[in-house]
């Protein structure tokens, strides 16, 4: 059986780069940049004031005659000479002759004559031309995920449009005779199809487009037909039907469609039956049906693949060492224990979810990390430092819901 790392490498080697498209600045948010962006001009374009105050010559002393005013957006017409000062607002260009700005708080705010009560060093409170960016400097590199800060840089570099990765379109299938849609009447033996919703949300969190499909019943024909249709999307992910059960048809269907198996089964818990196939130049991910296995395998395999497809620089989820607040149980396989990562007494800690069953959706409630227990390790004691794969959002809250917030060990 492959290790998680082997499977990830095998997978990432298969992922083709998706095309780029040019979009308007506002549309770049959450997208992956596909070009290096250079500054169009020096920013700021001229030395300017970092404070409201008086533009002066640093060396001279005594009261200064105020010769005028320069506001942000305008340019001074007069020149500051020894014994004079010009009122200046934050962002306004430094008038000729001045070499410092005395902030208003250290002056008597005089309108005709101003007294400055503290010495001011040459260059004080001046933002230099090009301090933020120099014309021609690369200020963003391809592969960058564009967030609010990067949008600011794009705008400052005068980019009204930018080249980003097209969002991959991902078909989300769910297989299972037991499944019903949320809202449908569910009798005994039926299970609400939650995976289609979690997986679609995870796809969107990656910056891709989710195309949820209707439930696929457990027959070879239905499975083949559904996957065949879904292959018009860039990627297909399915949940369920990849184990060794009598009604697990996903692997059969892929074989019938001419798919080439890249891996099936990875030495991990949960998520062992995860399946990857290449079919019609597409990648097909067969994720296990258990809601938790589904999210864990998405995090470790599908999300990195989508990021790689969009050309993102870093694709694997970050791993950090954190203290666990309660004992962690392992198994013969590499075990991923769902944890809430949250700040406690100034440090981030990992608190295992009380419910850890791979069928329990509540074991993912508030989970934003997967603590890694290496193969063969049976237990890790509370307080030990463990590697934690970070996922989702870092909330200010810690574990959510009635089960969270305690250090009681979980049941597996
Ligand atoms: P499978 O991998 O098909 O053997 O499914 C394993 C378990 O996951 C079964 O108990 C299913 O009821 C459950 N399951 C499968 N698909 C879904 C789904 N789409 N939503 C919620 N639970 C599911
Ligand atoms: Mg099934």
């Amino acid at each position: 059986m492959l290790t998680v790392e082997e499977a990830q490498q095998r997978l990432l080697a298969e992922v083709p780069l998706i095309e780029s498209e040019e979009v308007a600045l506002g549309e770049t948010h959450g997208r992956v940049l596909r070009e290096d962006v250079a500054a169009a001009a020096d920013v700021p374009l001229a030395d300017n004031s970092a404070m409201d105050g008086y533009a002066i010559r640093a060396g001279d002393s005594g009261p200064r005659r105020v010769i005028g005013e320069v506001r942000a957006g305008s340019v001074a017409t007069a020149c500051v000479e020894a014994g004079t000062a010009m009122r200046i607002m934050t962002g306004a260009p430094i008038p000729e002759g001045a070499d410092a700005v005395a902030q208003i708080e250290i002056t008597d705010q005089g309108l005709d004559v101003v007294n400055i009560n503290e010495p001011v060093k040459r260059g004080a409170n001046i933002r230099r031309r090009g301090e933020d960016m120099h014309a021609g400097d690369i200020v963003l590199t391809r592969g960058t995920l564009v967030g609010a800060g990067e949008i600011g840089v794009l705008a400052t570099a005068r980019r009204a449009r930018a080249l980003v990765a097209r969002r991959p379109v991902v078909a989300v299938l769910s297989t299972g005779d037991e499944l019903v849609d949320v809202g449908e009447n569910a009798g005994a033996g039926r299970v609400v199809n939650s995976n289609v919703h979690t997986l679609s949300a995870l796809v969107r969190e990656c910056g891709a487009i989710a195309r949820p499909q209707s439930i696929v019943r457990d027959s070879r024909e239905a499975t083949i037909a559904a996957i065949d249709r879904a292959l018009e999307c860039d990627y297909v992910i399915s949940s369920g039907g990849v184990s060794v059960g009598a009604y697990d048809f996903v692997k059969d269907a892929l074989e019938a469609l001419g798919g080439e198996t890249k891996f099936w089964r990875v030495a991990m818990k949960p998520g062992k039956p995860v399946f990857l196939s290449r079919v019609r130049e597409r990648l097909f991910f067969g994720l296990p049906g258990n809601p938790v296995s589904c999210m864990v395998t998405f995090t470790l395999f599908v999300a990195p693949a989508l990021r790689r497809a969009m050309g993102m620089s870093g694709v694997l989820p970050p791993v950090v060492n954190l203290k666990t607040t309660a004992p962690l149980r392992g198994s013969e396989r590499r075990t991923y224990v769902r944890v809430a990562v949250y700040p406690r007494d100034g440090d981030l800690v990992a608190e295992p979810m009380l419910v850890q069953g791979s069928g329990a959706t509540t074991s993912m409630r508030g989970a934003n990390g997967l603590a890694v227990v290496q193969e063969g390790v049976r237990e890790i004691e509370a307080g030990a430092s463990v590697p934690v794969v970070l996922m989702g959002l870092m909330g200010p809250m810690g574990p959510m819901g009635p089960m969270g917030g305690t250090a009681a060990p979980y049941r597996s």
Side-chain angles (χ1 to χ4, degrees), residues 175-178 218 240-241 247-248:
T175 71
D177 281 342
E178 74 279 31
D218 289 325
Y247 302 98
D248 289 342

Side-chain angles (χ1 to χ4, degrees), residues 323-329 337 339 342 344 349-354 371 373 379-384 386 406-410:
K323 266 190 188 149
T324 174
T325 62
L328 302 175
R329 271 180 220 135
V337 180
V339 297
Y342 69 103
R344 205 169 76 177
V349 294
E351 177 149 330
M353 298 309 190
L354 273 172
V373 183
E379 177 156 323
I380 293 178
E381 60 195 27
V386 285
T406 76
Y410 60 87

Side-chain angles (χ1 to χ4, degrees), residues 25-197:
L25 177 60
E27 301 295 308
T28 61
H29 194 206
R31 309 285 292 267
V32 177
L33 204 58
R34 288 287 279 274
E35 59 171 332
D36 292 338
V37 173
D42 285 353
V43 178
L45 204 48
D47 291 359
N48 68 73
S49 180
M51 293 282 184
D52 294 321
Y54 294 83
I56 57 169
R57 289 194 183 215
D60 58 357
S61 56
R64 292 167 164 90
R65 189 164 53 84
V66 179
I67 58 165
E69 165 182 285
V70 55
R71 301 167 53 161
S74 64
V75 178
T77 46
C79 177
V80 172
E81 287 162 0
T84 71
M86 193 180 290
R87 275 164 27 96
I88 191 164
M89 310 302 145
T90 304
I94 303 297
E96 216 180 302
D99 61 10
V101 171
Q103 68 270 36
I104 202 159
E105 292 83 354
I106 64 163
T107 73
D108 65 0
Q109 306 192 25
L111 294 179
D112 300 320
V113 173
V114 63
N115 284 288
I116 296 171
N117 307 322
E118 289 174 25
V120 179
K121 284 209 182 89
R122 174 183 270 241
N125 302 315
I126 294 180
R127 293 193 284 227
R128 292 293 173 196
R129 170 179 187 148
E131 200 174 273
D132 192 8
M133 36 182 98
H134 285 286
D137 278 358
I138 300 296
V139 288
L140 288 170
T141 51
R142 75 172 58 211
T144 301
L145 180 65
V146 179
E150 289 71 27
I151 287 199
V153 172
L154 281 169
T156 305
R158 304 189 187 183
R159 294 299 302 269
R161 304 181 70 75
L163 205 59
V164 297
R166 176 165 75 72
R167 292 186 188 276
V169 179
V170 183
V172 182
L173 268 70
S174 335
T175 71
D177 281 342
E178 74 279 31
L179 299 181
V180 293
D181 284 322
V182 60
E184 248 185 282
N185 258 337
R190 312 310 295 276
V191 171
V192 172
N193 181 5
S194 61
N195 288 349
V196 71
H197 299 289

Side-chain angles (χ1 to χ4, degrees), residues 170-174 196-197 200-201 204 209-215 233:
V170 183
V172 182
L173 268 70
S174 335
V196 71
H197 299 289
S200 298
R204 287 191 287 266
I209 296 168
R211 290 260 187 276
Q213 313 282 307
S214 37
I215 293 168
C233 296

